[in-house]
């Protein structure tokens, strides 16, 4: 149900009960006090009509299933307001005899009692709905906080994993650099070994040639 409608409804119930009490009080007095009281009641009736118009606009802006239920409530409030208007007219006419006045007082007290009972039940229902809404808001907030904490934990884990990956990447770059240096060293060593092989080969060849020449001259002599 719309919280806006519930707010208007609560205001109307309080205003209706207050107007019923004022009508009962106005029926028991006369003169200027009565006129002043009736004027005050009529001002309250205008406020009540304004609240009903606001409730009607709010109800018609909602979904069809909710709108039907709220419009049914609104018909009850309009009937209650019409009864209050009729009662104010009777009080303002000033042509009440004692029996009618007593009947009006009894009727006013009964209406006030009924309005107070209805108001109490409506306020209890409204309070219960508000408490349920408050509990749902608290549950949603708790869920949001838990989700936020989970999100922070996941972000922290991702940050740690990112740092680990960066460290591993730096390590791999270091290993790659070391491998490159080792490859260069091995290549240089291989070239040096090949050069040494050629030098040794040349030396061995020279020695063999020298030996052959020496033996040749010895044999010739």
């Amino acid at each position: 149900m719309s919280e806006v409608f519930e707010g208007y409804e609560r205001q109307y119930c309080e205003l209706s009960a207050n107007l019923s009490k004022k009508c009962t009080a106005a029926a028991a007095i006369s003169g200027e006090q009565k006129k002043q009281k009736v004027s005050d009641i009529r001002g309250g009736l205008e406020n009540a009509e304004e609240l009903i118009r606001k409730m009607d606009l709010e109800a018609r802006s909602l979904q069809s299933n909710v709108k039907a239920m709220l419009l049914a409530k609104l018909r009850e409030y309009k009937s209650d307001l019409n009864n209050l208007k009729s009662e104010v007219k009777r009080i303002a006419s000033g042509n009440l005899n004692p029996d009618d006045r007593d009947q009006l007082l009894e009727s006013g007290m009964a209406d006030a009692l009924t309005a107070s009972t209805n108001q109490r039940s409506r306020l209890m229902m409204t309070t219960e709905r508000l408490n349920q809404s408050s509990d749902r808001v608290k549950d949603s907030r708790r869920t949001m906080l838990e989700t936020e904490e989970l999100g922070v934990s996941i972000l922290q884990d991702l940050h740690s994993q990112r740092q680990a990956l960066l460290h591993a990447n730096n390590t791999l770059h270091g290993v790659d650099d070391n491998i490159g240096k080792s490859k260069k060293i091995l290549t240089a060593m291989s070239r040096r070994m090949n050069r040494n092989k050629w030098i040794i080969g040349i030396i061995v060849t020279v020695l063999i040639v020298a030996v052959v020449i020496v033996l040749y001259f010895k044999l010739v002599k």
Side-chain angles (χ1 to χ4, degrees):
M1 186 180 293
S2 171
E3 293 183 2
V4 176
F5 186 92
E6 289 177 353
Y8 293 147
E9 182 182 23
R10 185 166 57 252
Q11 293 178 41
Y12 176 81
C13 290
E14 293 174 354
L15 182 58
S16 176
N18 190 30
L19 290 175
S20 295
K21 292 178 182 178
K22 287 183 178 180
C23 288
T24 304
I29 58 178
S30 60
E32 290 298 325
Q33 291 183 349
K34 181 176 182 179
K35 290 181 180 179
Q36 196 170 21
K37 183 70 72 173
V38 169
S39 177
D40 185 26
I41 293 171
R42 283 174 175 166
L45 289 174
E46 291 178 359
N47 293 334
E49 286 181 342
E50 181 65 23
L51 287 171
I52 284 181
R53 281 196 293 270
K54 289 179 178 179
M55 283 191 285
D56 185 71
L57 289 173
E58 179 65 21
R60 294 182 187 280
S61 67
L62 301 175
Q63 297 178 354
S64 58
N65 55 342
V66 180
K67 178 171 69 175
M69 180 179 63
L70 296 183
L71 289 178
K73 273 189 175 185
L74 201 56
R75 284 193 291 271
E76 295 179 3
Y77 295 146
K78 288 180 180 178
S79 176
D80 177 63
L81 182 61
N82 289 331
N83 291 334
L84 285 173
K85 288 180 179 178
S86 299
E87 189 172 348
V88 171
K89 286 181 181 178
R90 283 186 295 169
I91 294 171
S93 65
N95 296 324
L96 297 175
N97 56 41
D99 292 336
D100 291 337
R101 186 178 291 108
D102 292 340
Q103 183 179 0
L104 181 59
L105 286 172
E106 292 176 0
S107 175
M109 291 177 66
D111 290 343
L113 181 61
T114 302
S116 179
T117 303
N118 291 337
Q119 179 200 17
R120 190 180 297 109
S121 62
R122 288 176 188 140
L123 287 177
M124 288 178 65
M125 291 175 60
T126 302
T127 303
E128 184 179 355
R129 286 195 293 268
L130 288 175
N131 289 335
Q132 291 176 354
S133 299
S134 178
D135 291 339
R136 286 195 295 270
V137 170
K138 288 180 180 178
D139 291 339
S140 300
R141 185 178 180 185
R142 183 166 53 251
T143 303
M144 182 183 66
L145 290 174
E146 291 175 355
T147 305
E148 184 179 358
E149 290 176 358
L150 180 60
V152 170
S153 177
I154 291 173
L155 287 175
Q156 289 176 348
D157 291 341
L158 290 175
H159 180 71
S160 300
Q161 293 176 8
R162 182 175 180 272
Q163 294 297 324
L165 289 173
L166 289 174
H167 180 69
N169 188 39
N170 293 332
T171 303
L172 287 174
H173 279 300
V175 171
D176 186 55
D177 292 340
N178 292 332
I179 290 174
K181 291 178 181 179
S182 299
K183 184 177 180 181
K184 289 180 181 179
I185 293 171
L186 291 174
T187 302
M189 291 175 64
S190 177
R191 288 175 181 173
R192 194 174 298 167
M193 289 174 64
N194 289 331
R195 187 169 62 250
N196 291 338
K197 285 180 181 179
W198 281 103
I199 292 171
I200 291 171
I202 292 170
I203 292 171
V204 169
T205 303
V206 170
L207 290 174
I208 291 173
V209 171
V211 170
V212 169
I213 292 173
V214 170
L215 290 175
Y216 175 74
F217 279 111
K218 283 185 179 182
L219 290 174
V220 171
K221 289 179 179 181

